[in-house]
């Protein structure tokens, strides 16, 4: 990211030495730079996690395959899951929040810029620490390299007895430290939104992206903190000889499951709410209509936040709970589909009767609507405890949550990349390459994750490193692995587009989409101070008011 | 959209307080998980000492709770610009907090040496030391922060305009007190 383009340091003079510019990035407390660092860091780990997924798929491409050993397979699915959730999805989500929230509320920076930098570097070093296990796990005390206990690390597998060496310690400590980083950023986002809004922007006039990120940050605080507590307990067990999850001394393995999923399920909503946020900004702009049902969208978001705290044990139907427990979690899990469904109808109603422009961000959002609906439907299927007893821990579950995370969240993240790329870099991306990315990825996604459902229905459990031929799984696994090639090609087009357009894209101007939120009123890329003078807003679409003084929104809201 | 001029009507919550209360939400969630674990394992130890070896730490509780009053007086004094009154009550808060921490140390010494209860003895030991220790850790962090402000005061750096910031530290101290009430009730009253 050349500082000369940005023009905040003596534009026109000779570019400063590389060391100086690197130093600026390392010591920065600017929310935009930290946002870009978060996103860049997430993209780096996306490639690493993607390579791990490819290794898993190559191993499963045919029965009795010997591409990797069972031990390596265990490490790969553990590292793939941990990486994708904690070091890809969370950093990218936080990166966008960091970059966009202050701009959208007309603020100069986040509420606590130094806490912001501190949180980023905690996340960054915890990721490096996790991956150091590949080399460090050998060298220190012998047994074990990368963690291999699965991304939810069920007890008693994590006990010293069953997990000697330090591989599990790397997992625990990395998640503990990144958790502190996440909590720090969440506190920062909440304080920024509640205390830094520009004059006139009451809570009811905030862009939906800001609202959804506020709820997301609240969920991070209520979800990641229990995980932090559970990791401290695991450390007490492993280092001080405690018995929290030590089944031989009366400890409970099921308690760990509860603690993990009290984090684990709201975490899904931590990731999906920002995806909803992107869709809620992009769909109105490319439908040339104001968002349909803004208050209902806000209410549905808050409802999702509350309900998501009470659904965690649907991950544990197969463990065996009481009838009352099962009933409660079946009902709450089904209930959360209601506010989510309301959102889907609101997005559809926004598009209804609009003048739709099928640019890349909109294409990704439309695919998201369809795929997220399917993901939600398989979710409702499994919310029913008897159905879950049949398919819990099967490949059907794997297909379901990848449909949510890839088909829902990742598609929206791609949409957000294309939508805000002109703002961040000042240049337009190549629409041709973006469309190639879209179609390759849609085809690859459906090849991989549609066919993944079937082996699950046919009884294939998750996390097995190979399988017998003749069970009807072979073809489905072959198709699943072929889809990976399409997805990889799509991501290649995406990365190439980002890099090429940064150098050769045509200048974007400050408002290439004729959009309505505040960030499009400042230059692209925005100056370090964001706005020369503090904006004052009167409605949810301040730029519409500016462009249409004869018919401003605030007359109707 | 227009440009902001002086806008006296536009007042938003103080970011320091919002941040602090968000931190409390996070800390509360952490303590809730530890309290749930404590209650879940209450009476489930298969061997070794149980909660019946505990004595009610009444004096320590009185010390810690009254330190909330002293820190409140300290901040109120600074708001009025009375640095002397501030320093006096502030140091009193530190002394009361230190007494609490020292009392906890003596209690643990008794449990370890006389009762033979360590963190690895049984489930009670694990959950008791973790929960009470987590709280003691928060008291320690608070004392370090309070001592830092005390040193700054001794150097003449704390003035009336810093009252709002010092008040944030006071909020944290109150929070640690409230958590102690919960821990006290769970460990020494309900769980014993």
């Amino acid at each position: 990211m050349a500082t000369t383009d940005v023009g905040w340091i003596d534009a026109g003079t000779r570019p400063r030495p590389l060391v100086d510019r690197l130093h600026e990035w390392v010591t920065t407390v600017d929310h935009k730079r930290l946002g870009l660092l978060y996103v860049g860091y997430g993209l780096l780990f996306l490639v690493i996690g993607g390579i791990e997924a490819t290794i898993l798929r190559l191993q499963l491409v045919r029965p009795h395959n010997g591409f990797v050993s069972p031990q390596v397979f265990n490490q790969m699915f553990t590292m793939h899951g941990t990486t994708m959730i904690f070091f890809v999805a969370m950093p990218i989500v936080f990166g966008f929040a960091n970059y966009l929230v202050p701009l959208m509320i007309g603020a100069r920076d986040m509420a606590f810029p130094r806490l912001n930098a501190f949180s980023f570097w905690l996340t960054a070093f915890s990721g490096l620490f996790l991956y150091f296990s590949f080399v460090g796990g050998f060298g220190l005390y012998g047994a074990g390299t990368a963690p291999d206990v699965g991304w939810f690390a069920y007890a008693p597998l994590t006990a010293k007895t069953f997990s000697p060496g330090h591989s599990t310690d790397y997992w625990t400590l990395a998640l503990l430290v990144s958790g502190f980083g996440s909590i720090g950023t969440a506190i920062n986002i909440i304080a920024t939104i509640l205390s830094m809004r520009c004059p006139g922007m009451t809570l009811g006039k905030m862009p939906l992206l800001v609202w959804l990120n506020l709820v997301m940050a609240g969920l991070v605080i209520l979800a990641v903190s229990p995980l932090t507590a559970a990791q401290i307990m695991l450390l007490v067990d492993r280092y001080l000889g405690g018995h929290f999850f030590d089944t031989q001394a009366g400890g409970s393995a099921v308690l760990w499951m509860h603690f993990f999923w009290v984090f684990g399920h709201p975490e899904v909503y931590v990731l999906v709410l920002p995806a909803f946020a992107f869709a809620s900004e992009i769909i109105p702009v490319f439908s040339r209509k104001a968002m349909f049902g803004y208050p209902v969208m806000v209410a549905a978001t808050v409802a999702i936040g509350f309900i998501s705290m009470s659904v965690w044990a649907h991950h544990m139907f197969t463990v065996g709970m009481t009838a009352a427990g099962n009933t409660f979690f079946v009902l709450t899990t089904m209930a959360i589909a209601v506010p989510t469904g309301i959102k889907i109808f609101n997005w559809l109603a926004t598009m209804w009767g609009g003048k739709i422009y099928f640019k890349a961000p909109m294409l990704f959002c439309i695919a998201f609507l369809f795929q997220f609906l399917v993901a939600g439907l398989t979710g409702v299927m499994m919310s029913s405890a008897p159905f879950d007893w049949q398919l819990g821990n099967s490949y059907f579950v794997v297909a379901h949550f990848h449909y949510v995370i890839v088909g829902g969240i990742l598609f929206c993240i791609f949409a957000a990349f294309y939508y805000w790329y002109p703002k961040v870099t000042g240049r337009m991306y190549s629409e041709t390459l973006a469309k190639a990315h879209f179609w390759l990825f849609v085809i690859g996604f459906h090849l991989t994750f549609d066919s993944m459902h079937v082996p699950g229905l046919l009884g294939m459990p998750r996390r097995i490193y190979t399988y017998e031929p003749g069970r009807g799984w072979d073809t489905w696994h072959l198709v699943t692995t072929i889809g990976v090639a399409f997805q990889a090609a799509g991501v290649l087009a995406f990365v190439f587009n980002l890099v090429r357009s940064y150098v050769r894209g045509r200048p974007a101007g400050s408002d290439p989409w004729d959009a309505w939120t505040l960030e499009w009123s400042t230059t692209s890329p925005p100056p370090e101070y964001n706005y020369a003078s503090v904006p004052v807003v009167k409605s949810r679409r301040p730029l519409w008011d500016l462009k249409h003084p004869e018919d401003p929104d605030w007359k109707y809201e | 959209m227009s440009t902001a001029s002086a806008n006296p009507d536009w007042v938003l919550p103080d970011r320091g307080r919002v941040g602090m209360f968000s931190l409390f939400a996070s800390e509360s969630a952490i303590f809730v998980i530890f309290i749930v674990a404590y209650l879940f394992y209450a009476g489930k130890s298969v061997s070794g000492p149980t909660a019946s070896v505990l004595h009610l730490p009444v004096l320590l509780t009185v010390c810690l709770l009254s330190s909330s009053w002293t820190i409140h007086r300290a901040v109120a004094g600074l708001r009025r610009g009375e640095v002397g009154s501030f320093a006096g009550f502030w140091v009193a808060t530190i002394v009361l907090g230190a007494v609490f921490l020292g009392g906890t140390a003596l209690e643990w010494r008794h449990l370890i040496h006389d009762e033979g209860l360590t963190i690895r003895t049984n489930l009670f030991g694990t959950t008791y030391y973790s929960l009470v220790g987590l709280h003691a850790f928060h008291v320690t962090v608070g004392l370090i922060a309070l001592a830092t402000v005390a040193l700054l005061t001794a150097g003449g750096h704390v003035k009336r305009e810093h009252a709002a910031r010092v008040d944030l530290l006071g909020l944290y101290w109150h929070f640690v007190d409230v958590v102690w009430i919960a821990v006290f009730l769970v460990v020494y009253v309900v769980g014993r």
Side-chain angles (χ1 to χ4, degrees):
Chain A
M1 309 288 141
T3 45
T4 47
D5 275 3
V6 180
W8 59 53
I9 306 152
D10 303 331
T13 57
R14 224 152 41 85
R16 281 138 22 82
L18 182 67
V19 179
D20 274 18
R21 279 182 285 158
L22 278 179
H23 182 256
E24 250 168 34
W25 278 93
V26 172
T27 58
T28 186
V29 293
D30 177 42
H31 74 97
K32 295 181 290 299
R33 288 186 164 209
L34 284 165
L36 290 176
L37 282 171
Y38 261 122
V39 169
Y41 176 84
L43 282 180
L44 179 71
F45 275 93
L46 177 69
V47 172
I48 296 173
I51 291 171
E52 285 157 356
T54 311
I55 292 172
L56 296 173
R57 286 319 313 167
L58 285 175
Q59 167 62 20
L60 291 172
V61 68
R62 61 186 175 87
H64 287 314
N65 200 5
F67 181 66
V68 289
S69 66
Q71 289 78 15
V72 171
F73 191 84
N74 289 353
Q75 292 176 353
M76 284 300 134
F77 70 63
T78 304
M79 292 296 272
H80 168 71
T82 308
T83 305
M84 286 300 197
I85 296 291
F86 294 99
F87 301 110
V88 178
M90 295 281 273
I92 290 183
V93 159
F94 284 154
F96 274 101
N98 245 308
Y99 198 101
L100 293 173
V101 165
L103 278 171
M104 280 188 158
I105 61 174
R108 160 70 187 81
D109 205 320
M110 299 284 277
F112 311 110
R114 278 175 293 186
L115 173 67
N116 201 11
F118 179 66
S119 303
F120 168 73
W121 290 106
L122 280 182
T123 307
F125 281 111
S126 59
L128 294 179
F129 181 76
L130 180 70
Y131 273 84
F132 186 70
S133 65
F134 273 108
V135 285
F138 269 129
L140 294 175
Y141 291 97
T145 68
D148 55 0
V149 289
W151 88 279
F152 39 71
Y154 276 175
L157 197 55
T158 49
K160 209 78 183 164
T161 324
F162 304 105
S163 192
H166 286 279
S167 62
T168 302
D169 299 326
Y170 278 103
W171 181 85
T172 300
L173 283 167
L175 262 55
L176 185 67
V177 174
S178 89
F180 289 141
S182 303
I183 294 169
T185 300
I187 290 173
N188 217 340
I189 291 174
I190 293 177
T192 305
I193 295 176
L194 293 185
S195 307
M196 311 286 283
R197 300 189 310 277
C198 68
M201 188 175 283
T202 55
L203 288 177
K205 290 190 173 62
M206 293 196 304
L208 274 177
L209 182 138
V210 179
W211 253 114
L212 272 79
N213 274 290
L214 178 64
V215 178
M216 177 274 277
L219 272 181
V220 167
I221 283 185
L222 294 180
V224 175
S225 307
L227 179 72
T228 302
Q231 302 287 13
I232 294 172
M233 291 176 184
L234 187 55
L235 282 174
V236 168
D237 274 13
R238 287 184 61 86
Y239 278 95
L240 302 179
H243 305 292
F244 280 112
F245 310 117
D246 176 6
T247 46
Q248 283 156 321
S252 165
V254 175
L255 193 67
W256 169 269
M257 299 170 103
H258 279 293
F259 288 169
F260 187 87
W261 290 117
V262 162
F263 149 78
H265 202 84
E267 169 71 9
V268 179
Y269 291 91
V270 166
L271 301 180
V272 87
L273 285 179
F276 291 171
F278 301 147
S280 303
E281 294 301 324
I282 293 168
I283 290 176
V285 168
F286 288 91
S287 305
R288 310 310 304 157
K289 271 178 69 190
M291 186 71 213
F292 180 88
Y294 174 101
V296 180
M297 283 300 256
V298 173
T301 307
V302 177
I304 288 176
F306 275 110
I307 303 175
S308 76
M309 297 304 298
S310 64
V311 299
W312 77 88
H314 68 216
H315 293 263
M316 299 164 59
F317 286 143
T318 50
V319 174
M321 291 185 291
T322 59
N326 280 342
T327 311
F328 176 79
F329 288 105
V330 165
L331 290 177
T332 52
T333 307
M334 287 183 174
I336 204 164
V338 175
T340 319
I342 290 173
K343 280 177 169 291
I344 290 182
F345 280 115
N346 273 325
W347 287 314
L348 289 178
T350 305
M351 290 163 67
W352 187 264
K355 183 167 171 46
I356 299 177
Y357 289 82
F358 290 98
K359 299 279 191 192
M362 188 62 173
L363 286 178
F364 276 102
C365 282
I366 293 171
F368 149 79
L369 279 180
F370 171 72
Q371 287 155 191
F372 188 73
L373 176 67
V374 175
L377 290 177
T378 53
V380 174
M381 284 161 78
M382 277 186 299
S383 71
S384 165
F387 191 83
D388 188 82
W389 290 332
Q390 194 63 32
L391 286 173
N393 224 31
S394 79
Y395 242 66
F396 190 82
V397 175
V398 179
H400 158 71
F401 71 73
H402 279 88
Y403 232 90
V404 175
I405 292 174
V406 180
I409 298 165
L410 187 60
F411 268 71
C412 278
I413 286 176
F414 282 141
F417 265 101
Y418 288 121
Y419 182 64
W420 280 288
Y421 187 85
K423 177 50 61 186
V424 174
T425 62
R427 291 176 186 270
M428 290 305 287
Y429 62 85
S430 151
E431 189 68 35
T432 319
L433 274 170
K435 290 228 163 80
H437 169 206
F438 172 74
W439 287 110
L440 282 168
F441 210 84
V442 164
I443 294 168
F445 169 80
H446 285 281
L447 282 179
T448 296
F449 295 109
D450 293 12
S451 44
M452 206 181 252
H453 288 87
V454 186
L457 287 169
L458 295 176
M460 176 168 163
R462 69 195 284 196
R463 293 180 171 174
I464 54 173
Y465 80 99
T466 194
Y467 50 92
E468 297 289 324
R471 293 191 171 174
W473 304 351
D474 312 12
T475 317
W476 298 106
H477 277 298
L478 182 65
V479 175
T480 301
T481 304
I482 290 172
V484 173
F486 282 87
Q487 292 184 60
V491 171
L492 209 64
F494 167 65
V495 173
F496 179 69
N497 197 354
L498 293 191
V499 176
R500 181 178 171 277
S501 304
Y502 185 69
V503 185
R504 301 184 47 185
R506 66 181 167 79
S510 61
D511 184 16
W513 306 122
D514 190 13
W516 304 308
T517 38
L518 276 182
E519 79 272 25
W520 303 103
S521 69
T522 187
T523 55
S524 306
E528 198 171 16
Y529 47 83
N530 289 352
Y531 299 101
S533 53
V534 179
V536 176
V537 300
K538 284 173 130 178
S539 79
R540 291 168 199 149
R541 298 195 299 170
L543 261 65
W544 171 277
D545 298 349
L546 194 70
K547 292 167 186 168
H548 303 271
E550 76 290 352
D551 188 28
D553 266 8
W554 51 262
K555 283 191 177 168
Y556 310 103
E557 276 177 7
Chain B
M1 194 184 86
S2 60
T3 303
S5 46
N7 213 324
D9 301 337
W10 189 248
V11 184
L12 290 173
D14 174 60
R15 64 182 165 177
R17 289 180 79 86
V18 173
M20 218 33 162
F21 280 106
S22 304
L23 179 71
F24 297 162
S26 169
E27 295 271 23
S28 304
I30 292 178
F31 275 105
V32 162
I33 293 293
F34 273 87
I35 287 171
V36 166
Y38 188 89
L39 291 175
F40 181 80
Y41 287 133
K44 289 200 180 144
S45 292
V46 286
S47 63
T50 61
S52 57
V53 300
L54 297 177
H55 300 285
L56 271 184
V58 177
L59 183 67
L60 300 184
T61 305
V62 169
C63 279
L64 194 64
L65 295 191
S66 40
S67 73
S68 253
W69 178 75
T70 54
I71 201 167
H72 174 77
R73 289 297 307 270
V75 176
L78 193 61
R79 281 220 181 86
R80 293 191 303 269
E82 299 162 11
V83 178
S85 152
F86 163 74
F89 278 109
W90 196 261
V91 170
T93 309
I94 295 178
V95 170
L96 287 169
V99 168
F100 174 84
L101 215 52
T104 305
L106 286 178
E107 185 191 7
W108 284 22
R109 187 179 178 280
H110 162 73
L111 288 174
I112 293 168
H113 282 282
D114 306 338
E115 307 286 352
L117 179 75
T118 69
I119 199 166
R120 55 202 312 168
T121 306
N122 56 13
L123 276 172
F124 169 63
T126 303
T127 51
Y128 167 79
Y129 285 114
S130 302
L131 177 55
V132 175
L134 188 70
H135 177 262
F137 170 76
H138 281 80
V139 175
T140 311
V141 169
L143 280 179
I144 292 170
L146 292 180
T148 310
V149 173
L151 286 178
L152 287 172
T153 313
H157 298 294
V158 178
K159 301 194 182 68
R160 186 177 195 166
E161 62 262 33
H162 301 116
R165 289 191 174 195
V166 170
D167 186 42
L168 290 179
L169 212 48
L171 277 181
Y172 174 83
W173 195 253
H174 293 317
F175 171 75
V176 171
D177 271 13
V178 171
V179 170
W180 177 250
I181 295 175
V183 172
F184 180 81
L185 288 176
V186 166
V187 175
Y188 296 96
V189 179
V190 177
R192 200 154 63 109

